[in-house]
Amino acid sequence: MTIEESDAPDRANHLRSPSVSALDEFTVYEIGDDVTKEVDPVEEKVLPMSTLVVVAETSQVKEHLDQNIDEFDFHEDGTFKVSNWSGKRFYSDYIKAGIEYKKKTNPDYDPKVVMLFESPSSSTNQSSFHNAGKFRFHDWPPPKQTKSKGILGPNRYASMNGPSYPVFLKDGGPPEGLMNHWKEAIPGFVEPSFVPKIDTEEDTAYAYLPVEQLKHHINDPDTHYHLAGKDAIHLMTQKTTKILPDTRHKRPCVVKTTHSMGSKGIFIINDDEDEKEFQQFLVDSGNPNYVVVDFVDIARNIACHFFMHPNGSIVWFGSNENHREPDGKFSSDSFLMMEHQDTLKEMQLPFVEEVVRYCRGMGFWGFCGVDVLFNSSGEGYLVDINPRVTGSCPALMALSQLQRAHGFTVGLFRRSGSINFFGTSKQLMSKVSKYNKENAGKSSVIIHSMWEVEDVDGTKPGFTKVNIGVYGNDLAECKAVLNTYAKPLKSQADEIDDFES
């Protein structure tokens, strides 16, 4: 038996923990040659809060545990503890860890979990999941067809799902060749499993968003729906844009439908013409709820991604930023820069802490992302909370793995619904494989998801929608490479609209 000091959390400006704690408050692992198992602590013993009991040679810990020990939280005292992702656990593994924690107080809690990464729609009943009543999401206008909605996003997240629970994919698995590509391109990739349906009686969904057709969710669906609303932000923090009484009180102002999908349902009202456009949207889309907030002159647009354990601790995946293009507009690409991660984390943690405390107070746990806008004076405004896995997180995770394997420091990720490779999926795979072999150790292209486009009648126009990233050590080079694989399809994008959030 050995006793080691664990990494203490940063306690600046937070409550300090007691100096001692009962041993039964700790999680103790017995590590053998073939198995690692949790064991009951010895009763009526006390140890300093900063100690960890390991029943093994310490060199065996990282080899046998499926997670870096820094990501375990061995106490629960109300402090805000944040640990960086170690690259050894993935989405379903974290959900399993949360369930195991909850089973300590409820041993009968043993859900049959399915990871559901496909979002529901309220604008069409042609999607896999249609929320027509209680949990309406404002994804207006409806897509002309919905097939890629069940492919692009769900497969992107499936690439980082891990083995603990299966992923729902309505086709039963990824597009042909994509799994092998992940194995070749993503260091440390762990193959997920898939199911083509969810049993509404037996299965419990870890859901991207609450789904009306499903009886069992990991999180209470009413709470989840509340947290997903733009009208909940002002209940979590004062570090956000000011709510205005109407669109005429102050201009410019920003109007947001409370449960928008992606960037839908957001309007900047500068004048009466903008007001007319917004009012027509309300008529066309069924008069959704909305909030009016003050306009912020944006200097920086930063998103972060994290996991909230039921005990209140946080696993931090990282941050990405949208940069301005030469024309002054923000790029839709996610810029991933490892050298900036510590700074971005420090900028966003004050906002994240308030979100986490609010979510925990409502009993919500799992993955989350927040968007913070900073003005030219450095003042930050929390403008969006996404209580789910978030769009650029798989790309950040991939870059983290590539940094560990090859020292890569930057990446550029593109996932807009109108972005395409002009060729078949097989041609795309072949071109990417060739590039990765020729640039091994210097640069890498990862196809996070793809769909060879089909018209509503099933015909294939000969191009492939992609969620794709390029990673390496030179951002300009990454962008040049990315532009050869992912281009806008302006003429046909409106005809084949995936409406992927």
Side-chain angles (χ1 to χ4, degrees):
M1 174 184 295
T2 62
I3 298 178
E4 293 187 343
E5 288 193 0
S6 64
D7 290 342
D10 180 6
R11 301 183 186 274
N13 301 318
H14 301 297
L15 296 175
R16 290 189 175 274
S17 61
S19 59
V20 296
S21 176
L23 183 57
D24 61 8
E25 294 180 10
F26 288 83
T27 303
V28 180
Y29 290 89
E30 180 179 343
I31 305 173
D33 292 336
D34 301 315
V35 66
T36 299
K37 64 180 181 179
E38 186 176 334
V39 296
D40 291 331
V42 179
E43 294 291 335
E44 300 178 355
K45 298 288 185 181
V46 291
L47 289 171
M49 282 293 285
S50 61
T51 63
L52 161 68
V53 178
V54 181
V55 188
E57 292 296 326
T58 55
S59 61
Q60 297 181 45
V61 174
K62 289 187 179 180
E63 178 182 352
H64 288 275
L65 284 177
D66 65 344
Q67 178 67 344
N68 186 304
I69 60 173
D70 292 345
E71 291 190 17
F72 286 95
D73 191 66
F74 293 91
H75 60 274
E76 184 177 356
D77 63 351
T79 58
F80 184 64
K81 176 177 178 178
V82 182
S83 301
N84 291 330
W85 182 56
S86 71
K88 295 184 178 181
R89 270 191 182 178
F90 301 90
Y91 292 143
S92 67
D93 305 326
Y94 282 109
I95 298 305
K96 183 177 181 180
I99 289 172
E100 291 298 322
Y101 175 84
K102 294 179 76 68
K103 287 173 69 174
K104 293 179 181 179
T105 56
N106 182 10
D108 295 331
Y109 181 60
D110 191 22
K112 182 183 177 185
V113 178
V114 175
M115 304 294 288
L116 173 57
F117 298 130
E118 183 175 347
S119 61
S121 172
S122 293
S123 67
T124 176
N125 59 9
Q126 300 302 308
S127 60
S128 300
F129 305 98
H130 180 52
N131 285 6
K134 190 175 185 180
F135 303 129
R136 291 185 63 85
F137 291 98
H138 310 311
D139 54 346
W140 186 269
K144 294 178 173 61
Q145 62 109 320
T146 62
K147 186 169 182 179
S148 71
K149 184 181 180 70
I151 297 176
L152 288 176
N155 276 282
R156 178 175 72 243
Y157 298 123
S159 69
M160 292 295 173
N161 183 72
S164 292
Y165 298 124
V167 177
F168 167 79
L169 289 180
K170 63 182 181 181
D171 290 337
E176 183 179 356
L178 190 56
M179 180 82 83
N180 286 334
H181 167 71
W182 292 337
K183 292 178 182 178
E184 294 174 358
I186 303 174
F189 173 74
V190 180
E191 185 171 338
S193 60
F194 302 93
V195 293
K197 64 179 182 178
I198 297 178
D199 188 320
T200 58
E201 297 294 332
E202 298 292 331
D203 294 337
T204 297
Y206 178 78
Y208 184 83
L209 291 167
V211 175
E212 291 175 3
Q213 296 98 311
L214 300 180
K215 291 184 178 181
H216 309 296
H217 293 72
I218 290 293
N219 283 295
D220 174 68
D222 291 283
T223 299
H224 195 177
Y225 186 73
H226 164 70
L227 294 171
K230 306 258 186 323
D231 50 350
I233 296 174
H234 296 79
L235 301 175
M236 303 183 197
T237 181
Q238 294 183 350
K239 296 190 282 286
T240 185
T241 48
K242 181 181 178 181
I243 287 185
L244 302 177
D246 55 52
T247 56
R248 298 183 180 276
H249 181 78
K250 182 181 179 182
R251 290 179 176 175
C253 61
V254 180
V255 183
K256 304 176 182 180
T257 52
T258 57
H259 290 78
S260 305
M261 301 295 289
S263 60
K264 302 294 181 180
I266 301 176
F267 295 82
I268 298 176
I269 309 296
N270 291 290
D271 51 37
D272 288 348
E273 287 301 313
D274 293 336
E275 177 74 22
K276 288 180 182 179
E277 180 184 350
F278 170 62
Q279 293 298 330
Q280 187 60 50
F281 164 81
L282 292 178
V283 172
D284 294 341
S285 60
N287 198 32
N289 295 329
Y290 62 88
V291 294
V292 184
V293 298
D294 203 1
F295 178 84
V296 175
D297 188 11
I298 306 170
R300 300 184 72 176
N301 182 2
I302 305 172
C304 64
H305 317 266
F306 53 93
F307 172 75
M308 301 180 287
H309 192 280
N311 69 5
S313 61
I314 302 301
V315 176
W316 189 268
F317 292 100
S319 304
N320 61 275
E321 189 166 2
N322 297 104
H323 291 181
R324 284 194 186 274
E325 298 285 16
D327 62 3
K329 296 180 180 179
F330 274 98
S331 169
S332 60
D333 293 342
S334 295
F335 288 73
L336 318 172
M337 307 180 72
M338 298 306 289
E339 67 174 333
H340 294 168
Q341 289 302 309
D342 288 343
T343 300
L344 296 177
K345 180 179 178 182
E346 183 178 344
M347 292 170 66
Q348 291 180 293
L349 275 178
F351 303 89
V352 170
E353 179 170 1
E354 291 187 314
V355 170
V356 171
R357 291 193 184 282
Y358 186 86
C359 290
R360 193 181 183 204
M362 299 197 71
F364 182 89
W365 63 279
F367 298 96
C368 191
V370 303
D371 297 342
V372 182
L373 304 181
F374 292 88
N375 63 20
S376 57
S377 300
E379 297 169 315
Y381 301 86
L382 178 61
V383 296
D384 207 4
I385 297 165
N386 299 299
R388 55 184 177 266
V389 289
T390 37
S392 298
C393 189
L396 270 167
M397 295 167 76
L399 177 56
S400 294
Q401 299 292 61
L402 287 165
Q403 185 183 49
R404 294 182 181 97
H406 305 299
F408 290 179
T409 57
V410 299
L412 203 59
F413 176 57
R414 188 172 292 174
R415 64 183 181 94
S416 169
S418 63
I419 295 301
N420 302 268
F421 172 78
F422 289 90
T424 67
S425 58
K426 287 186 177 180
Q427 290 171 331
L428 171 64
M429 289 286 187
S430 177
K431 185 175 180 180
V432 168
S433 178
K434 183 174 184 291
Y435 177 89
N436 285 347
K437 288 178 181 177
E438 292 175 350
N439 294 274
K442 297 182 294 182
S443 178
S444 182
V445 176
I446 296 178
I447 306 167
H448 293 273
S449 62
M450 66 178 187
W451 174 57
E452 189 169 342
V453 172
E454 296 179 5
D455 288 328
V456 291
D457 61 2
T459 60
K460 295 186 177 183
F463 58 93
T464 304
K465 287 186 178 294
V466 290
N467 287 186
I468 193 167
V470 181
Y471 308 90
N473 292 298
D474 186 296
L475 201 57
E477 181 180 307
C478 287
K479 187 170 185 177
V481 174
L482 184 60
N483 287 338
T484 68
Y485 289 97
K487 301 178 181 180
L489 185 68
K490 296 179 180 179
S491 61
Q492 298 181 53
D494 292 335
E495 298 299 322
I496 306 171
D497 180 12
D498 67 89
F499 216 66
E500 190 257 333
S501 61

